[in-house]
């Protein structure tokens, strides 16, 4: 028995192929053809929280952060590191999506190393901040979430820049980033002076992060404290200008 008789199937007539393309609305387009729209509709909506801060004073730049990584109401890691050394004279705080922050800092490390090899000198903090902002601005609208404070000491002295994933690049003396930043700013604004001693700066940074962790549900854990200065202190054995201190 023929297949046509069993399934009522008829072979298509291919002798007369239509030379016309389907109309504009007749194309079968996959869901991900517009990444921005696709992420807005189907992308995850997870609350990220942290408290990071950095400020300049006469003895360098202080960077501090809490150690709790959260994903919504879930504490993903209570002892994560949110202050990342980028170069011998440069480090940055991380706030936003952890994977995005780690990826872009890895890219920044590579680009700064290549620039150092080409030019034969350390890249400036301003140049590193502009480079990071330009690279991330190309992905604006694709749900990239990176907010960082770049701290360093170059030929012009201590420098501090805020960089956001939409391309924002700002220079300043005090920056606090994350869900706990309003509470940290309250402490910093009340105790900050440019002519502070080193111990006063350490105490201020610890106090600001600690107060934020008590008020912000997404911040917590310990306090990581880094001091960027012109040259390593006598107690350091390695040639590093970013010294961690976990309180």
């Amino acid at each position: 028995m023929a297949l046509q008789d069993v399934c009522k199937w008829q072979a298509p007539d291919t002798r007369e192929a239509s030379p016309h393309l389907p109309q504009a609305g007749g194309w079968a387009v996959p869901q991900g053809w517009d990444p921005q729209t696709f992420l807005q509709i189907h992308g995850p909506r997870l609350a990220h929280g942290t408290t990071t801060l950095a400020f300049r004073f006469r003895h360098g730049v202080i960077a501090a952060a809490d150690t709790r990584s959260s994903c919504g109401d879930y504490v993903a890691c209570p002892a994560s590191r949110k202050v990342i050394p980028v170069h011998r004279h440069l480090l940055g705080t991380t706030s936003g999506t952890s994977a995005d922050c780690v990826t872009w800092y890895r890219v920044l490390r590579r680009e700064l190393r290549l620039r150092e090899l080409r030019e034969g000198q350390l890249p400036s903090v301003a140049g590193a901040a502009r480079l990071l902002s330009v690279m991330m601005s190309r992905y604006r609208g694709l749900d990239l979430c990176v907010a960082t404070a770049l701290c360093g000491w170059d030929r012009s002295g201590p420098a501090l820049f805020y960089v956001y994933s939409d391309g924002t690049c700002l220079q300043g003396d005090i920056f606090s980033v994350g869900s706990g930043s309003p509470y940290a700013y309250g402490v910093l604004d009340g105790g900050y002076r440019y002519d502070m001693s080193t111990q006063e700066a350490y105490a201020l940074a610890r106090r600001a992060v600690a107060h934020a962790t008590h008020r912000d549900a997404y911040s917590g854990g310990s306090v990581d404290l880094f001091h960027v200065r012109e040259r390593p202190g006598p107690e350091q054995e390695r040639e590093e200008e970013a010294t961690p201190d976990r309180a």
Side-chain angles (χ1 to χ4, degrees):
M1 183 178 292
L3 182 63
Q4 292 89 338
D5 298 333
V6 176
C7 302
K8 306 300 181 180
W9 176 81
Q10 297 292 329
D13 187 4
T14 58
R15 292 175 298 176
E16 296 183 0
S18 174
H20 303 290
L21 294 174
Q23 299 296 325
W27 292 98
V29 181
Q31 290 186 345
W33 72 277
D34 184 359
Q36 182 174 359
T37 304
F38 179 80
L39 289 173
Q40 290 176 352
I41 299 175
H42 302 284
R45 291 294 178 265
L46 299 176
H48 305 283
T50 186
T51 300
T52 65
L53 60 88
F55 58 85
R56 293 172 64 246
F57 72 119
R58 64 176 181 171
H59 296 296
V61 186
I62 297 294
D66 72 310
T67 60
R68 175 180 293 177
S69 292
S70 58
C71 183
D73 297 331
Y74 172 70
V75 178
C77 179
S80 61
R81 174 155 288 183
K82 301 180 183 179
V83 183
I84 301 178
V86 180
H87 211 281
R88 287 182 295 162
H89 67 305
L90 182 66
L91 55 81
T93 65
T94 60
S95 177
T97 305
S98 299
D100 292 342
C101 294
V102 172
T103 299
W104 281 103
Y105 268 115
R106 186 181 299 122
V107 173
L108 182 61
R109 282 198 198 101
R110 181 194 64 197
E111 295 298 327
L112 293 180
R113 177 59 177 161
L114 292 174
R115 177 172 292 187
E116 181 186 12
L117 293 174
R118 286 193 300 263
E119 300 176 357
Q121 60 184 3
L122 291 177
S124 66
V125 182
R130 285 194 296 268
L131 176 62
L132 181 61
S133 66
V134 169
M135 290 191 300
M136 292 194 300
S137 65
R138 301 171 184 171
Y139 298 87
R140 184 183 304 168
L142 296 182
D143 211 22
L144 181 66
C145 186
V146 178
T148 178
L150 283 175
C151 322
W153 193 306
D154 53 21
R155 296 177 298 275
S156 61
L160 175 61
F161 287 83
Y162 167 76
V163 181
Y164 188 58
S165 50
D166 63 355
T168 302
C169 183
L170 302 174
Q171 184 177 10
D173 291 331
I174 303 176
F175 288 115
S176 182
V177 188
S179 57
S181 59
Y183 311 109
Y185 270 127
V187 177
L188 290 173
D189 291 340
Y192 172 77
R193 302 190 325 274
Y194 186 81
D195 60 347
M196 287 186 297
S197 66
T198 301
Q199 295 303 320
E200 288 176 336
Y202 290 173
L204 177 63
R206 289 194 186 102
R207 188 167 67 251
V209 176
H211 278 267
T213 58
H214 284 289
R215 293 293 182 180
D216 178 40
Y218 298 105
S219 301
S222 303
V223 179
D224 280 339
L225 179 65
F226 283 70
H227 182 191
V228 183
R229 45 193 170 190
E230 184 176 9
R231 60 180 59 87
E235 71 280 2
Q236 289 180 295
E237 297 179 0
R238 295 183 300 172
E239 293 184 358
E240 294 183 355
E241 298 181 4
T243 59
D245 179 17
R246 175 163 289 185

